Amino acid sequence: MAALFALTGAMLMLGTPMVQAQDGLEAVEAAVADPDRPAADTARDINRKPAEITAFAGVMPGDVVVELAPGGGYYTRILARTVGSEGHVYAVMPAAFANRPGGLDAINAISAHYGNVTVVVADFTDFTVEKPVDLVWTTENYHDFQNGPTANIAGVNAAVFRALKPGGAYFVEDHSAPGTGLTVTSTLHRIDPAAVIEQVTAAGFALEGQSDVLANPEDPHDVAVRSAEVAGKTDKFALRFRKPE
């Protein structure tokens, strides 16, 4: 019951009318409970809290969503079920994955299964979709957008801004390293949430909400996210930004 109130509250904070919020809540819960989700995914739910996170992001039936770097599709499946047949998910994958043998097999299988998922291979600074979208979503990836000799986070955020309709949302969830700025993005694969806020607001977005549902105060923050000490249980932040109307 507490989770139900939390989910409804998250949607009402977005200014969503009660009936619409209830519809969104039911869609999120049904998506998380979808029996087609693989067991490997559902085993991670206890730590990733997908119902609370999807509700906080404001995903609603009928939404058009861009998911940057969907990885194995943990959230792609949930997003596809939540937005439903009237909505759509564009799973944007980098060319580096497409060029690997079998690199797109998993996401292509999800696309074929759900029917409302389109795989787009593009640079994150230059992706385009058919029409302006309601939401751009990325989880546990933003720190990596800073890495590599050609990293261009300003370009990524500018592309997100272009893709969104006026009033659209940009959702970022990542592993936290408070006070470190951008210094551990390639070593510990974490990022300072203050640095994310600074970068995204500089691109023209307004910070609308922050969630601590994935906070873990016992995480020491100075170890890599895949280390045995914290794997799957890192301290994470979730931020929702809004493109001006």
Side-chain angles (χ1 to χ4, degrees), residues 48-65:
R48 299 201 71 174
K49 297 180 170 59
E52 291 92 333
I53 287 297
T54 307
F56 170 75
V59 186
M60 300 290 293
D63 276 355
V64 179
V65 178

Side-chain angles (χ1 to χ4, degrees), residues 54 59 65 67 75-84 89 137:
T54 307
V59 186
V65 178
E67 183 183 15
Y75 266 115
T76 313
R77 296 178 176 91
I78 293 170
L79 293 171
R81 284 294 190 222
T82 301
V83 303
V89 178
W137 165 295

Side-chain angles (χ1 to χ4, degrees), residues 165-188:
K165 63 176 59 173
Y170 184 15
F171 174 73
V172 179
E173 176 210 303
D174 213 338
H175 308 281
S176 187
T180 64
L182 306 176
T183 62
V184 298
T185 60
S186 63
T187 53
L188 304 184

Side-chain angles (χ1 to χ4, degrees), residues 16 56 70 104 116 145 168 233 235 238:
T16 306
F56 170 75
L104 296 181
N116 64 344
F145 298 163
K233 298 180 181 180
D235 180 28

Side-chain angles (χ1 to χ4, degrees), residues 32 37-53 67 69-78 110 139-141 173 175 213-214 225-226 231-234 236:
V32 173
R37 295 182 65 217
D41 281 8
T42 58
R44 300 166 68 192
D45 289 353
I46 189 170
N47 292 319
R48 299 201 71 174
K49 297 180 170 59
E52 291 92 333
I53 287 297
E67 183 183 15
Y74 174 92
Y75 266 115
T76 313
R77 296 178 176 91
I78 293 170
I110 291 172
T139 56
E140 301 184 6
N141 298 303
E173 176 210 303
H175 308 281
V213 70
L214 297 177
V225 300
R226 293 186 179 179
K233 298 180 181 180
T234 55
K236 289 185 281 191

Side-chain angles (χ1 to χ4, degrees), residues 57 59 63-70 75-76 79-80 83 87-93 116-139 141 145 156 159-165 169-172:
V59 186
D63 276 355
V64 179
V65 178
V66 165
E67 183 183 15
L68 296 181
Y75 266 115
T76 313
L79 293 171
V83 303
H88 204 85
V89 178
Y90 292 94
V92 181
M93 300 287 287
N116 64 344
V117 176
T118 298
V119 179
V120 177
V121 177
D123 189 293
F124 295 148
T125 65
D126 193 35
F127 70 89
T128 58
V129 293
E130 296 174 333
K131 60 182 180 179
V133 304
D134 299 288
L135 171 69
V136 177
W137 165 295
T138 193
T139 56
N141 298 303
F145 298 163
V156 173
V160 171
F161 195 90
R162 291 192 300 270
L164 284 165
K165 63 176 59 173
Y170 184 15
F171 174 73
V172 179

